[in-house]
Amino acid sequence: QNVLIESVKNEINKMDPLDKEILIQYFFLQCSQPEIAQNIGISQQNVSVRLRKSIDKLKRKFGVKKI
């Protein structure tokens, strides 16, 4: 399990800094999409798209079909 956690961390660290920040705020700080949008200074729709693409990228990398 620790190996998986480290692998996920490594993949997140390879991401675009903005996508990484969105993931951190959403999953670890438990911010809502509107809160993230306000914190970062982008639209909520942009947050939503970036979040979905980042999650999909991680799911593909690790062979996950559903979360």
Side-chain angles (χ1 to χ4, degrees):
Q1 187 176 5
N2 288 336
V3 173
L4 178 60
I5 291 169
E6 287 304 314
S7 295
V8 172
K9 284 181 184 177
N10 288 337
E11 285 304 311
I12 291 171
N13 283 330
K14 293 178 189 176
M15 290 184 172
D16 176 274
L18 188 56
D19 294 336
K20 178 179 171 181
E21 182 62 29
I22 290 169
L23 284 171
I24 290 169
Q25 286 193 34
Y26 188 76
F27 286 107
F28 298 103
L29 301 178
Q30 298 182 338
C31 295
S32 67
Q33 290 185 15
E35 289 171 328
I36 296 168
Q38 185 175 9
N39 294 343
I40 294 176
I42 62 175
S43 71
Q44 186 272 325
Q45 182 177 3
N46 198 328
V47 169
S48 180
V49 169
R50 286 177 165 272
L51 185 59
R52 173 60 32 218
K53 286 183 178 182
S54 296
I55 292 169
D56 287 347
K57 185 177 183 179
L58 289 170
K59 285 168 59 175
R60 279 191 310 275
K61 174 69 180 177
F62 294 100
V64 176
K65 300 209 185 315
K66 287 191 175 186
I67 294 181

Short mmCIF file of all heavy atoms in Angstrom, two decimals:
data_model
loop_
_atom_site.label_atom_id
_atom_site.label_comp_id
_atom_site.label_asym_id
_atom_site.label_seq_id
_atom_site.Cartn_x
_atom_site.Cartn_y
_atom_site.Cartn_z
N GLN A 1 0.83 -1.20 0.00
CA GLN A 1 0.00 0.00 0.00
C GLN A 1 0.87 1.25 0.00
O GLN A 1 0.55 2.21 -0.68
CB GLN A 1 -0.95 -0.02 1.19
CG GLN A 1 -1.96 1.11 1.15
CD GLN A 1 -2.95 1.03 2.28
OE1 GLN A 1 -2.86 0.20 3.16
NE2 GLN A 1 -3.90 1.92 2.27
N ASN A 2 1.97 1.25 0.74
CA ASN A 2 2.86 2.40 0.76
C ASN A 2 3.47 2.66 -0.61
O ASN A 2 3.69 3.80 -1.00
CB ASN A 2 3.97 2.23 1.80
CG ASN A 2 3.44 2.36 3.22
OD1 ASN A 2 2.42 2.99 3.45
ND2 ASN A 2 4.14 1.76 4.17
N VAL A 3 3.73 1.58 -1.36
CA VAL A 3 4.29 1.72 -2.70
C VAL A 3 3.27 2.41 -3.60
O VAL A 3 3.64 3.30 -4.39
CB VAL A 3 4.68 0.34 -3.27
CG1 VAL A 3 5.11 0.45 -4.71
CG2 VAL A 3 5.78 -0.29 -2.43
N LEU A 4 2.01 2.04 -3.49
CA LEU A 4 0.95 2.67 -4.28
C LEU A 4 0.83 4.15 -3.94
O LEU A 4 0.75 5.00 -4.84
CB LEU A 4 -0.38 1.97 -4.07
CG LEU A 4 -1.58 2.57 -4.80
CD1 LEU A 4 -1.34 2.56 -6.31
CD2 LEU A 4 -2.84 1.83 -4.45
N ILE A 5 0.85 4.47 -2.66
CA ILE A 5 0.75 5.87 -2.23
C ILE A 5 1.91 6.68 -2.80
O ILE A 5 1.72 7.78 -3.33
CB ILE A 5 0.70 5.97 -0.69
CG1 ILE A 5 -0.63 5.41 -0.18
CG2 ILE A 5 0.88 7.42 -0.23
CD1 ILE A 5 -0.71 5.22 1.32
N GLU A 6 3.10 6.14 -2.74
CA GLU A 6 4.27 6.83 -3.28
C GLU A 6 4.16 6.99 -4.79
O GLU A 6 4.53 8.03 -5.34
CB GLU A 6 5.56 6.11 -2.91
CG GLU A 6 5.94 6.25 -1.45
CD GLU A 6 6.06 7.70 -0.98
OE1 GLU A 6 6.70 8.51 -1.69
OE2 GLU A 6 5.50 8.02 0.08
N SER A 7 3.64 5.99 -5.46
CA SER A 7 3.45 6.06 -6.91
C SER A 7 2.45 7.15 -7.29
O SER A 7 2.68 7.91 -8.23
CB SER A 7 2.97 4.72 -7.46
OG SER A 7 3.95 3.74 -7.28
N VAL A 8 1.36 7.25 -6.54
CA VAL A 8 0.36 8.29 -6.79
C VAL A 8 0.98 9.66 -6.53
O VAL A 8 0.81 10.59 -7.34
CB VAL A 8 -0.90 8.07 -5.93
CG1 VAL A 8 -1.84 9.27 -6.04
CG2 VAL A 8 -1.61 6.80 -6.34
N LYS A 9 1.71 9.81 -5.44
CA LYS A 9 2.38 11.09 -5.14
C LYS A 9 3.32 11.48 -6.27
O LYS A 9 3.35 12.64 -6.68
CB LYS A 9 3.17 10.99 -3.84
CG LYS A 9 2.35 11.04 -2.59
CD LYS A 9 3.27 10.97 -1.38
CE LYS A 9 2.52 10.92 -0.09
NZ LYS A 9 3.43 10.78 1.07
N ASN A 10 4.08 10.53 -6.78
CA ASN A 10 5.02 10.81 -7.86
C ASN A 10 4.28 11.28 -9.11
O ASN A 10 4.74 12.20 -9.79
CB ASN A 10 5.88 9.58 -8.18
CG ASN A 10 6.91 9.31 -7.11
OD1 ASN A 10 7.30 10.19 -6.36
ND2 ASN A 10 7.35 8.06 -7.03
N GLU A 11 3.17 10.64 -9.43
CA GLU A 11 2.40 11.04 -10.62
C GLU A 11 1.81 12.43 -10.43
O GLU A 11 1.80 13.23 -11.37
CB GLU A 11 1.29 10.03 -10.91
CG GLU A 11 1.78 8.74 -11.51
CD GLU A 11 2.59 8.93 -12.78
OE1 GLU A 11 2.15 9.66 -13.69
OE2 GLU A 11 3.67 8.33 -12.87
N ILE A 12 1.32 12.73 -9.25
CA ILE A 12 0.77 14.07 -8.98
C ILE A 12 1.87 15.11 -9.11
O ILE A 12 1.66 16.19 -9.67
CB ILE A 12 0.09 14.12 -7.60
CG1 ILE A 12 -1.19 13.27 -7.63
CG2 ILE A 12 -0.22 15.56 -7.19
CD1 ILE A 12 -1.84 13.07 -6.27
N ASN A 13 3.05 14.80 -8.63
CA ASN A 13 4.17 15.75 -8.71
C ASN A 13 4.62 16.01 -10.14
O ASN A 13 5.23 17.05 -10.42
CB ASN A 13 5.35 15.26 -7.87
CG ASN A 13 5.13 15.51 -6.40
OD1 ASN A 13 4.46 16.46 -6.01
ND2 ASN A 13 5.68 14.64 -5.57
N LYS A 14 4.31 15.12 -11.07
CA LYS A 14 4.65 15.30 -12.48
C LYS A 14 3.64 16.19 -13.21
O LYS A 14 3.89 16.62 -14.32
CB LYS A 14 4.71 13.95 -13.20
CG LYS A 14 5.83 13.05 -12.76
CD LYS A 14 5.73 11.73 -13.51
CE LYS A 14 6.69 10.69 -12.98
NZ LYS A 14 6.51 9.40 -13.66
N MET A 15 2.49 16.43 -12.58
CA MET A 15 1.42 17.18 -13.23
C MET A 15 1.72 18.67 -13.30
O MET A 15 2.57 19.19 -12.57
CB MET A 15 0.10 16.98 -12.47
CG MET A 15 -0.47 15.61 -12.59
SD MET A 15 -2.07 15.54 -11.76
CE MET A 15 -2.59 13.92 -12.27
N ASP A 16 0.97 19.32 -14.16
CA ASP A 16 1.01 20.78 -14.23
C ASP A 16 0.78 21.34 -12.82
O ASP A 16 -0.07 20.83 -12.09
CB ASP A 16 -0.12 21.23 -15.18
CG ASP A 16 -0.23 22.73 -15.26
OD1 ASP A 16 -0.93 23.33 -14.41
OD2 ASP A 16 0.38 23.31 -16.18
N PRO A 17 1.55 22.37 -12.43
CA PRO A 17 1.41 22.91 -11.06
C PRO A 17 -0.02 23.33 -10.70
O PRO A 17 -0.45 23.14 -9.55
CB PRO A 17 2.35 24.10 -11.05
CG PRO A 17 3.37 23.79 -12.10
CD PRO A 17 2.63 23.02 -13.16
N LEU A 18 -0.75 23.87 -11.64
CA LEU A 18 -2.13 24.28 -11.36
C LEU A 18 -3.02 23.07 -11.11
O LEU A 18 -3.83 23.07 -10.17
CB LEU A 18 -2.68 25.12 -12.52
CG LEU A 18 -4.03 25.78 -12.30
CD1 LEU A 18 -4.03 26.67 -11.05
CD2 LEU A 18 -4.41 26.60 -13.52
N ASP A 19 -2.86 22.02 -11.91
CA ASP A 19 -3.64 20.80 -11.70
C ASP A 19 -3.29 20.16 -10.36
O ASP A 19 -4.17 19.68 -9.64
CB ASP A 19 -3.39 19.81 -12.84
CG ASP A 19 -3.91 20.32 -14.18
OD1 ASP A 19 -4.82 21.17 -14.18
OD2 ASP A 19 -3.39 19.88 -15.22
N LYS A 20 -2.03 20.17 -10.03
CA LYS A 20 -1.58 19.63 -8.74
C LYS A 20 -2.22 20.41 -7.59
O LYS A 20 -2.73 19.82 -6.63
CB LYS A 20 -0.05 19.73 -8.67
CG LYS A 20 0.54 19.24 -7.38
CD LYS A 20 2.06 19.37 -7.43
CE LYS A 20 2.67 19.10 -6.09
NZ LYS A 20 4.13 19.24 -6.10
N GLU A 21 -2.24 21.73 -7.69
CA GLU A 21 -2.84 22.56 -6.65
C GLU A 21 -4.33 22.28 -6.51
O GLU A 21 -4.86 22.20 -5.40
CB GLU A 21 -2.61 24.04 -6.96
CG GLU A 21 -3.15 24.99 -5.92
CD GLU A 21 -2.52 24.83 -4.55
OE1 GLU A 21 -1.34 24.42 -4.45
OE2 GLU A 21 -3.20 25.12 -3.54
N ILE A 22 -5.01 22.10 -7.63
CA ILE A 22 -6.44 21.80 -7.59
C ILE A 22 -6.68 20.46 -6.89
O ILE A 22 -7.57 20.36 -6.03
CB ILE A 22 -7.03 21.81 -9.02
CG1 ILE A 22 -7.06 23.24 -9.55
CG2 ILE A 22 -8.43 21.19 -9.04
CD1 ILE A 22 -7.36 23.36 -11.03
N LEU A 23 -5.91 19.45 -7.23
CA LEU A 23 -6.05 18.14 -6.57
C LEU A 23 -5.81 18.24 -5.07
O LEU A 23 -6.56 17.66 -4.27
CB LEU A 23 -5.08 17.13 -7.18
CG LEU A 23 -5.43 16.57 -8.55
CD1 LEU A 23 -4.27 15.77 -9.10
CD2 LEU A 23 -6.68 15.71 -8.48
N ILE A 24 -4.78 18.95 -4.68
CA ILE A 24 -4.45 19.10 -3.25
C ILE A 24 -5.59 19.80 -2.52
O ILE A 24 -6.03 19.34 -1.46
CB ILE A 24 -3.13 19.86 -3.07
CG1 ILE A 24 -1.97 18.96 -3.52
CG2 ILE A 24 -2.94 20.31 -1.61
CD1 ILE A 24 -0.64 19.68 -3.63
N GLN A 25 -6.08 20.90 -3.08
CA GLN A 25 -7.15 21.63 -2.41
C GLN A 25 -8.44 20.80 -2.34
O GLN A 25 -9.14 20.82 -1.34
CB GLN A 25 -7.42 22.96 -3.12
CG GLN A 25 -6.34 23.99 -2.85
CD GLN A 25 -6.73 25.37 -3.27
OE1 GLN A 25 -7.90 25.76 -3.18
NE2 GLN A 25 -5.76 26.14 -3.72
N TYR A 26 -8.72 20.04 -3.39
CA TYR A 26 -9.96 19.28 -3.43
C TYR A 26 -9.92 18.06 -2.51
O TYR A 26 -10.83 17.85 -1.71
CB TYR A 26 -10.25 18.85 -4.88
CG TYR A 26 -11.61 18.22 -5.05
CD1 TYR A 26 -12.76 19.00 -5.08
CD2 TYR A 26 -11.74 16.84 -5.19
CE1 TYR A 26 -14.00 18.43 -5.24
CE2 TYR A 26 -12.98 16.26 -5.36
CZ TYR A 26 -14.11 17.06 -5.38
OH TYR A 26 -15.35 16.49 -5.53
N PHE A 27 -8.86 17.27 -2.61
CA PHE A 27 -8.81 16.01 -1.87
C PHE A 27 -8.22 16.13 -0.46
O PHE A 27 -8.66 15.45 0.45
CB PHE A 27 -8.05 14.94 -2.66
CG PHE A 27 -8.83 14.41 -3.82
CD1 PHE A 27 -8.50 14.75 -5.12
CD2 PHE A 27 -9.92 13.58 -3.62
CE1 PHE A 27 -9.23 14.26 -6.19
CE2 PHE A 27 -10.67 13.09 -4.68
CZ PHE A 27 -10.32 13.44 -5.97
N PHE A 28 -7.23 16.97 -0.28
CA PHE A 28 -6.56 17.04 1.01
C PHE A 28 -7.06 18.17 1.90
O PHE A 28 -7.17 18.02 3.10
CB PHE A 28 -5.04 17.13 0.82
CG PHE A 28 -4.49 15.92 0.13
CD1 PHE A 28 -4.14 15.97 -1.22
CD2 PHE A 28 -4.34 14.72 0.80
CE1 PHE A 28 -3.66 14.85 -1.88
CE2 PHE A 28 -3.85 13.59 0.15
CZ PHE A 28 -3.51 13.66 -1.19
N LEU A 29 -7.39 19.31 1.29
CA LEU A 29 -7.93 20.42 2.07
C LEU A 29 -9.45 20.44 2.06
O LEU A 29 -10.07 21.24 2.75
CB LEU A 29 -7.38 21.75 1.52
CG LEU A 29 -5.86 21.89 1.53
CD1 LEU A 29 -5.44 23.22 0.94
CD2 LEU A 29 -5.30 21.71 2.93
N GLN A 30 -10.04 19.55 1.26
CA GLN A 30 -11.49 19.38 1.15
C GLN A 30 -12.22 20.67 0.81
O GLN A 30 -13.29 20.96 1.33
CB GLN A 30 -12.04 18.74 2.43
CG GLN A 30 -11.47 17.36 2.66
CD GLN A 30 -12.02 16.67 3.89
OE1 GLN A 30 -12.52 17.31 4.80
NE2 GLN A 30 -11.94 15.36 3.89
N CYS A 31 -11.64 21.44 -0.10
CA CYS A 31 -12.28 22.65 -0.61
C CYS A 31 -13.28 22.27 -1.69
O CYS A 31 -13.08 21.30 -2.41
CB CYS A 31 -11.23 23.60 -1.20
SG CYS A 31 -10.05 24.26 -0.02
N SER A 32 -14.32 23.04 -1.81
CA SER A 32 -15.29 22.85 -2.89
C SER A 32 -14.71 23.43 -4.18
O SER A 32 -13.75 24.23 -4.14
CB SER A 32 -16.61 23.54 -2.56
OG SER A 32 -16.42 24.95 -2.56
N GLN A 33 -15.30 23.07 -5.30
CA GLN A 33 -14.83 23.62 -6.56
C GLN A 33 -14.94 25.15 -6.61
O GLN A 33 -13.99 25.81 -7.05
CB GLN A 33 -15.56 22.97 -7.73
CG GLN A 33 -15.16 21.53 -7.93
CD GLN A 33 -15.79 20.90 -9.15
OE1 GLN A 33 -16.33 21.58 -10.02
NE2 GLN A 33 -15.73 19.58 -9.23
N PRO A 34 -16.05 25.73 -6.15
CA PRO A 34 -16.12 27.20 -6.14
C PRO A 34 -15.04 27.83 -5.23
O PRO A 34 -14.47 28.87 -5.58
CB PRO A 34 -17.52 27.51 -5.62
CG PRO A 34 -18.32 26.30 -5.98
CD PRO A 34 -17.37 25.14 -5.83
N GLU A 35 -14.74 27.19 -4.11
CA GLU A 35 -13.68 27.70 -3.22
C GLU A 35 -12.32 27.65 -3.91
O GLU A 35 -11.54 28.60 -3.82
CB GLU A 35 -13.63 26.89 -1.93
CG GLU A 35 -14.79 27.12 -0.99
CD GLU A 35 -14.81 26.15 0.18
OE1 GLU A 35 -14.38 24.98 0.03
OE2 GLU A 35 -15.27 26.57 1.25
N ILE A 36 -12.05 26.55 -4.59
CA ILE A 36 -10.78 26.41 -5.30
C ILE A 36 -10.69 27.48 -6.39
O ILE A 36 -9.64 28.13 -6.54
CB ILE A 36 -10.64 25.00 -5.92
CG1 ILE A 36 -10.59 23.94 -4.81
CG2 ILE A 36 -9.39 24.92 -6.80
CD1 ILE A 36 -10.74 22.51 -5.32
N ALA A 37 -11.77 27.67 -7.11
CA ALA A 37 -11.79 28.68 -8.17
C ALA A 37 -11.45 30.06 -7.61
O ALA A 37 -10.64 30.80 -8.19
CB ALA A 37 -13.16 28.70 -8.85
N GLN A 38 -12.05 30.38 -6.49
CA GLN A 38 -11.79 31.68 -5.86
C GLN A 38 -10.35 31.76 -5.36
O GLN A 38 -9.68 32.78 -5.55
CB GLN A 38 -12.76 31.91 -4.71
CG GLN A 38 -12.63 33.28 -4.08
CD GLN A 38 -13.69 33.53 -3.02
OE1 GLN A 38 -14.42 32.62 -2.62
NE2 GLN A 38 -13.77 34.75 -2.55
N ASN A 39 -9.84 30.69 -4.74
CA ASN A 39 -8.48 30.68 -4.21
C ASN A 39 -7.44 30.86 -5.30
O ASN A 39 -6.43 31.54 -5.11
CB ASN A 39 -8.19 29.37 -3.48
CG ASN A 39 -9.01 29.19 -2.22
OD1 ASN A 39 -9.57 30.13 -1.69
ND2 ASN A 39 -9.10 27.96 -1.75
N ILE A 40 -7.67 30.23 -6.45
CA ILE A 40 -6.69 30.21 -7.52
C ILE A 40 -6.90 31.36 -8.51
O ILE A 40 -5.96 31.81 -9.16
CB ILE A 40 -6.73 28.85 -8.26
CG1 ILE A 40 -6.27 27.75 -7.31
CG2 ILE A 40 -5.83 28.86 -9.49
CD1 ILE A 40 -6.36 26.36 -7.89
N GLY A 41 -8.15 31.83 -8.62
CA GLY A 41 -8.43 32.92 -9.54
C GLY A 41 -8.79 32.47 -10.93
O GLY A 41 -8.48 33.13 -11.91
N ILE A 42 -9.46 31.30 -11.02
CA ILE A 42 -9.97 30.81 -12.31
C ILE A 42 -11.44 30.48 -12.12
O ILE A 42 -11.95 30.48 -11.00
CB ILE A 42 -9.18 29.57 -12.82
CG1 ILE A 42 -9.30 28.39 -11.85
CG2 ILE A 42 -7.72 29.93 -13.08
CD1 ILE A 42 -8.64 27.10 -12.35
N SER A 43 -12.12 30.19 -13.23
CA SER A 43 -13.55 29.89 -13.13
C SER A 43 -13.79 28.51 -12.51
O SER A 43 -12.93 27.63 -12.57
CB SER A 43 -14.20 29.93 -14.52
OG SER A 43 -13.78 28.83 -15.30
N GLN A 44 -14.97 28.34 -11.94
CA GLN A 44 -15.34 27.05 -11.36
C GLN A 44 -15.40 25.99 -12.46
O GLN A 44 -15.03 24.85 -12.24
CB GLN A 44 -16.68 27.18 -10.63
CG GLN A 44 -17.08 25.93 -9.87
CD GLN A 44 -17.86 24.93 -10.70
OE1 GLN A 44 -18.64 25.31 -11.56
NE2 GLN A 44 -17.64 23.65 -10.46
N GLN A 45 -15.83 26.38 -13.64
CA GLN A 45 -15.89 25.44 -14.77
C GLN A 45 -14.49 24.95 -15.13
O GLN A 45 -14.29 23.76 -15.40
CB GLN A 45 -16.55 26.10 -15.97
CG GLN A 45 -16.70 25.15 -17.15
CD GLN A 45 -17.42 25.79 -18.32
OE1 GLN A 45 -17.76 26.97 -18.30
NE2 GLN A 45 -17.65 25.01 -19.35
N ASN A 46 -13.52 25.85 -15.11
CA ASN A 46 -12.13 25.47 -15.39
C ASN A 46 -11.61 24.51 -14.33
O ASN A 46 -10.94 23.52 -14.64
CB ASN A 46 -11.26 26.73 -15.47
CG ASN A 46 -9.95 26.49 -16.17
OD1 ASN A 46 -9.39 25.41 -16.10
ND2 ASN A 46 -9.43 27.53 -16.81
N VAL A 47 -11.95 24.78 -13.07
CA VAL A 47 -11.57 23.87 -11.98
C VAL A 47 -12.17 22.50 -12.24
O VAL A 47 -11.49 21.47 -12.13
CB VAL A 47 -12.02 24.40 -10.60
CG1 VAL A 47 -11.85 23.34 -9.52
CG2 VAL A 47 -11.23 25.65 -10.23
N SER A 48 -13.44 22.45 -12.58
CA SER A 48 -14.14 21.19 -12.81
C SER A 48 -13.49 20.39 -13.93
O SER A 48 -13.25 19.19 -13.78
CB SER A 48 -15.61 21.48 -13.15
OG SER A 48 -16.29 20.28 -13.37
N VAL A 49 -13.18 21.05 -15.05
CA VAL A 49 -12.56 20.38 -16.19
C VAL A 49 -11.17 19.86 -15.82
O VAL A 49 -10.82 18.70 -16.10
CB VAL A 49 -12.49 21.32 -17.41
CG1 VAL A 49 -11.61 20.74 -18.51
CG2 VAL A 49 -13.88 21.61 -17.93
N ARG A 50 -10.37 20.70 -15.18
CA ARG A 50 -9.01 20.30 -14.80
C ARG A 50 -9.03 19.15 -13.79
O ARG A 50 -8.22 18.23 -13.87
CB ARG A 50 -8.23 21.49 -14.24
CG ARG A 50 -7.80 22.48 -15.30
CD ARG A 50 -7.10 23.69 -14.65
NE ARG A 50 -6.38 24.47 -15.60
CZ ARG A 50 -5.12 24.26 -15.97
NH1 ARG A 50 -4.42 23.28 -15.45
NH2 ARG A 50 -4.53 25.03 -16.86
N LEU A 51 -9.95 19.21 -12.85
CA LEU A 51 -10.07 18.16 -11.84
C LEU A 51 -10.43 16.83 -12.50
O LEU A 51 -9.80 15.80 -12.23
CB LEU A 51 -11.11 18.56 -10.80
CG LEU A 51 -11.29 17.65 -9.61
CD1 LEU A 51 -9.99 17.50 -8.82
CD2 LEU A 51 -12.39 18.20 -8.70
N ARG A 52 -11.42 16.84 -13.38
CA ARG A 52 -11.85 15.62 -14.06
C ARG A 52 -10.72 15.05 -14.91
O ARG A 52 -10.45 13.86 -14.89
CB ARG A 52 -13.07 15.93 -14.95
CG ARG A 52 -13.53 14.83 -15.84
CD ARG A 52 -13.96 13.51 -15.20
NE ARG A 52 -14.56 13.62 -13.91
CZ ARG A 52 -14.37 12.75 -12.90
NH1 ARG A 52 -13.60 11.70 -13.06
NH2 ARG A 52 -14.95 12.91 -11.74
N LYS A 53 -10.01 15.90 -15.65
CA LYS A 53 -8.91 15.42 -16.48
C LYS A 53 -7.78 14.83 -15.64
O LYS A 53 -7.19 13.81 -15.99
CB LYS A 53 -8.37 16.55 -17.38
CG LYS A 53 -9.29 16.87 -18.53
CD LYS A 53 -8.70 17.95 -19.42
CE LYS A 53 -9.62 18.21 -20.60
NZ LYS A 53 -9.05 19.23 -21.52
N SER A 54 -7.48 15.47 -14.52
CA SER A 54 -6.42 14.98 -13.64
C SER A 54 -6.79 13.63 -13.02
O SER A 54 -5.96 12.72 -12.96
CB SER A 54 -6.13 16.00 -12.53
OG SER A 54 -5.62 17.18 -13.07
N ILE A 55 -8.02 13.51 -12.58
CA ILE A 55 -8.49 12.25 -12.00
C ILE A 55 -8.47 11.15 -13.07
O ILE A 55 -8.02 10.03 -12.81
CB ILE A 55 -9.90 12.41 -11.39
CG1 ILE A 55 -9.83 13.31 -10.16
CG2 ILE A 55 -10.50 11.05 -11.03
CD1 ILE A 55 -11.19 13.76 -9.63
N ASP A 56 -8.96 11.48 -14.26
CA ASP A 56 -8.96 10.49 -15.35
C ASP A 56 -7.54 10.05 -15.68
O ASP A 56 -7.30 8.86 -15.93
CB ASP A 56 -9.64 11.05 -16.60
CG ASP A 56 -11.15 11.15 -16.44
OD1 ASP A 56 -11.70 10.56 -15.48
OD2 ASP A 56 -11.78 11.82 -17.28
N LYS A 57 -6.61 10.97 -15.68
CA LYS A 57 -5.21 10.65 -15.97
C LYS A 57 -4.65 9.68 -14.93
O LYS A 57 -3.99 8.69 -15.27
CB LYS A 57 -4.39 11.94 -15.99
CG LYS A 57 -2.95 11.77 -16.39
CD LYS A 57 -2.27 13.13 -16.45
CE LYS A 57 -0.85 13.01 -16.92
NZ LYS A 57 -0.19 14.32 -16.99
N LEU A 58 -4.94 9.94 -13.66
CA LEU A 58 -4.47 9.05 -12.59
C LEU A 58 -5.15 7.68 -12.69
O LEU A 58 -4.49 6.65 -12.50
CB LEU A 58 -4.74 9.67 -11.22
CG LEU A 58 -3.87 10.87 -10.85
CD1 LEU A 58 -4.39 11.54 -9.60
CD2 LEU A 58 -2.42 10.46 -10.69
N LYS A 59 -6.44 7.66 -12.99
CA LYS A 59 -7.15 6.40 -13.12
C LYS A 59 -6.56 5.55 -14.25
O LYS A 59 -6.37 4.34 -14.09
CB LYS A 59 -8.64 6.65 -13.37
CG LYS A 59 -9.38 7.10 -12.12
CD LYS A 59 -10.75 7.62 -12.38
CE LYS A 59 -11.68 6.68 -13.05
NZ LYS A 59 -13.06 7.22 -13.18
N ARG A 60 -6.27 6.18 -15.38
CA ARG A 60 -5.67 5.46 -16.50
C ARG A 60 -4.30 4.93 -16.13
O ARG A 60 -3.93 3.80 -16.44
CB ARG A 60 -5.55 6.36 -17.74
CG ARG A 60 -6.83 6.49 -18.53
CD ARG A 60 -6.60 7.15 -19.86
NE ARG A 60 -5.84 8.40 -19.81
CZ ARG A 60 -6.35 9.60 -19.56
NH1 ARG A 60 -7.64 9.73 -19.33
NH2 ARG A 60 -5.59 10.66 -19.55
N LYS A 61 -3.49 5.75 -15.46
CA LYS A 61 -2.13 5.36 -15.08
C LYS A 61 -2.14 4.13 -14.19
O LYS A 61 -1.29 3.25 -14.31
CB LYS A 61 -1.44 6.54 -14.38
CG LYS A 61 -0.09 6.24 -13.83
CD LYS A 61 0.93 6.00 -14.91
CE LYS A 61 2.28 5.70 -14.31
NZ LYS A 61 3.28 5.40 -15.32
N PHE A 62 -3.11 4.06 -13.29
CA PHE A 62 -3.13 2.98 -12.31
C PHE A 62 -4.18 1.91 -12.61
O PHE A 62 -4.43 1.02 -11.81
CB PHE A 62 -3.31 3.55 -10.90
CG PHE A 62 -2.13 4.38 -10.47
CD1 PHE A 62 -2.16 5.76 -10.53
CD2 PHE A 62 -0.94 3.76 -10.06
CE1 PHE A 62 -1.06 6.52 -10.17
CE2 PHE A 62 0.16 4.52 -9.70
CZ PHE A 62 0.09 5.89 -9.77
N GLY A 63 -4.80 2.00 -13.78
CA GLY A 63 -5.72 0.96 -14.22
C GLY A 63 -7.01 0.89 -13.40
O GLY A 63 -7.60 -0.18 -13.26
N VAL A 64 -7.45 2.02 -12.88
CA VAL A 64 -8.67 2.06 -12.07
C VAL A 64 -9.84 2.40 -12.98
O VAL A 64 -9.80 3.36 -13.74
CB VAL A 64 -8.54 3.13 -10.95
CG1 VAL A 64 -9.84 3.25 -10.18
CG2 VAL A 64 -7.38 2.79 -10.04
N LYS A 65 -10.90 1.60 -12.88
CA LYS A 65 -12.08 1.86 -13.71
C LYS A 65 -13.07 2.79 -13.03
O LYS A 65 -13.65 3.64 -13.64
CB LYS A 65 -12.74 0.54 -14.08
CG LYS A 65 -11.81 -0.37 -14.85
CD LYS A 65 -12.56 -1.26 -15.78
CE LYS A 65 -11.71 -2.28 -16.48
NZ LYS A 65 -10.49 -1.91 -17.04
N LYS A 66 -13.26 2.62 -11.72
CA LYS A 66 -14.18 3.47 -10.94
C LYS A 66 -13.56 3.80 -9.60
O LYS A 66 -12.81 3.03 -9.04
CB LYS A 66 -15.51 2.77 -10.70
CG LYS A 66 -16.37 2.68 -11.92
CD LYS A 66 -17.76 2.23 -11.54
CE LYS A 66 -18.67 2.27 -12.75
NZ LYS A 66 -20.04 1.99 -12.39
N ILE A 67 -13.94 4.98 -9.10
CA ILE A 67 -13.50 5.37 -7.75
C ILE A 67 -14.72 5.39 -6.87
O ILE A 67 -15.76 5.83 -7.23
CB ILE A 67 -12.81 6.75 -7.75
CG1 ILE A 67 -11.51 6.68 -8.52
CG2 ILE A 67 -12.56 7.22 -6.33
CD1 ILE A 67 -10.72 7.96 -8.57
#
